[in-house]
Amino acid sequence: MKTWIALLRGVNSGGKNKLPMQALAAELSAIGLSDVKTYIQSGNVVFRGPNKAAASLAAEIGAAINRKFGFEPQVMVIGGKDLAAAAAANPFPESATESDGKTLHCFFLAKAPPRIDHDRVEALRRPSERWQVKGAVLYLHAPEGFGNSKLANQFEKILGVPATARNWRTVNALLELAADIEQ
């Protein structure tokens, strides 16, 4: 068994795609995942599961949610060690504690982007924003706020790969949950 993190996109936001975390944890346990723990209502799940392809687990989780709750959110699954490596590779460590970790974000990408339109990024980037892609993770420091960032809203389209973002506070909380279930 391996420690995994599932990042669900578009749940419990704006009154759509309601997904109670306790019911989600029960459903994931019912499909054979163990030590299932959720973090906040926006769809972050840490669990132990079989050592198989992350995309396969994501598809299984999405299908289980669809069967039980009637909708299928985008699900991205990453290994616990991959999350730890992404955190360790943070190119902006001095920003990790700024505003309680809410100005630094990791976009977890379905795969490394084949190309990046740097001109388009620069046209949208605020002067205070910094970004960097490392493999299948994009780091964005948005000191004026993620919700105010035109770049944050457009990165998935610019990169051309599915993505879901989590702030640094959430990344650290997920790392703590993963460490708890590995003990």
Side-chain angles (χ1 to χ4, degrees), residues 98-158:
E98 188 177 286
S99 297
D100 198 24
K102 294 180 182 175
T103 64
L104 180 59
H105 290 77
C106 291
F107 285 72
F108 297 96
L109 312 174
K111 63 180 182 177
R115 66 175 213 62
I116 300 171
D117 184 344
H118 290 275
D119 291 338
R120 190 165 170 206
V121 170
E122 288 304 309
L124 293 169
R125 186 181 70 80
R126 289 178 179 238
S128 63
E129 293 177 332
R130 300 178 294 160
W131 66 279
Q132 188 172 345
V133 175
K134 289 186 175 185
V137 181
L138 177 139
Y139 302 86
L140 173 65
H141 176 232
E144 295 175 55
F146 189 80
N148 295 323
S149 174
K150 291 178 183 177
L151 190 54
N153 287 330
Q154 295 295 315
F155 254 133
E156 188 174 33
K157 288 179 185 175
I158 293 169

